[in-house]
């Protein structure tokens, strides 16, 4: 009947308005969207970030990885390294992995601190990312002389992984 139809749609309309008001209030209190400039290279997103007020460093976004910093930058920034152990998964063979704690990041005018960050050499991963191109369809091809071509070479100073998205 028409009355049942009107009652259902009135209830749906009231619930919809309520959800819109609640969502608008939450977004007004907690800004969740930020504009962050990035560089798209071989279908990977790179951001520039500073660590403890360092010069800008290039970080690749990878939601499936942890947060990582290359050891050369950890050393230059005098970060304290804890528990060095061999690991694998970031290139050929195994390599030492350490942890550094309470690292302050700055991206544009936003600051956040990560409690723990892995410190792992990324040279092999960086070289691979610069030698292999992946297009939007997932097709993989080799880039010739990538390391000698400064136009096509993207440094990778670290990885902003799932920890970055939790901040």
């Amino acid at each position: 009947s028409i009355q049942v139809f009107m009652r259902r749609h009135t209830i749906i309309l009231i619930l919809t308005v309520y959800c819109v008001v609640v969502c608008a209030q939450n977004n007004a209190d907690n800004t969740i969207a930020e504009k962050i400039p990035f560089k798209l290279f071989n279908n990977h997103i790179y951001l520039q970030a500073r660590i403890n007020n360092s010069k800008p460093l290039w970080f690749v976004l990878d939601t499936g990885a942890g947060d990582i910093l290359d050891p050369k930058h950890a050393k230059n920034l005098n970060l304290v390294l804890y528990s060095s152990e061999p690991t694998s998964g970031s290139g050929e063979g195994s390599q030492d992995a350490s942890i550094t704690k309470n690292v302050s990041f700055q991206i544009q005018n936003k600051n956040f601190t990560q409690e723990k960050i892995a410190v792992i050499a990324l040279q092999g991963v960086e070289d691979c990312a610069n030698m292999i191109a992946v297009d939007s369809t997932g097709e993989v091809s080799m880039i010739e002389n990538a390391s000698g071509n400064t136009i096509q070479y993207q440094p990778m100073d670290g990885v902003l992984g799932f920890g970055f998205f939790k901040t």
Side-chain angles (χ1 to χ4, degrees):
S1 89
I2 191 88
Q3 289 177 339
V4 173
F5 177 80
M6 291 300 290
R7 245 185 266 155
R8 279 189 191 153
H9 286 297
T10 303
I11 291 171
I12 291 171
L13 179 63
I14 290 170
L15 289 174
T16 303
V17 169
Y18 175 76
C19 289
V20 168
V21 169
V22 169
C23 290
Q25 287 174 346
N26 285 341
N27 286 338
D29 295 340
N30 302 316
T31 302
I32 58 171
E34 293 289 332
K35 289 185 179 181
I36 300 173
F38 65 92
K39 179 178 182 180
L40 187 64
F41 181 80
N42 284 343
N43 282 328
H44 293 93
I45 297 172
Y46 288 83
L47 300 178
Q48 281 197 308
R50 297 175 188 270
I51 293 181
N52 300 344
N53 296 311
S54 71
K55 67 176 180 139
L57 302 172
W58 284 105
F59 288 82
V60 68
L61 285 182
D62 186 344
T63 58
D67 299 314
I68 302 171
L69 179 64
D70 195 273
K72 65 185 172 207
H73 298 296
K75 181 180 178 183
N76 291 341
L77 294 167
N78 297 316
L79 299 177
V80 177
L81 302 181
Y82 301 92
S83 68
S84 179
E85 296 182 19
T87 187
S88 62
S90 63
E92 290 185 27
S94 67
Q95 54 188 317
D96 288 338
S98 301
I99 298 290
T100 190
K101 298 179 181 179
N102 299 317
V103 177
S104 172
F105 281 85
Q106 300 87 36
I107 297 179
Q108 294 194 145
N109 59 347
K110 299 295 180 188
N111 298 314
F112 60 96
T113 300
Q114 296 293 72
E115 287 184 35
K116 293 181 182 178
I117 300 236
V119 178
I120 303 171
L122 294 171
Q123 186 62 50
V125 177
E126 178 181 315
D127 289 344
C128 181
N130 280 284
M131 290 189 296
I132 298 173
V134 182
D135 68 18
S136 60
T137 66
E139 191 70 30
V140 178
S141 61
M142 295 293 290
I143 300 172
E144 295 184 32
N145 300 325
S147 61
N149 187 343
T150 56
I151 295 171
Q152 290 190 357
Y153 197 84
Q154 174 60 48
M156 183 186 301
D157 302 317
V159 176
L160 291 174
F162 53 79
F164 168 73
F165 292 97
K166 289 182 181 180
T167 58

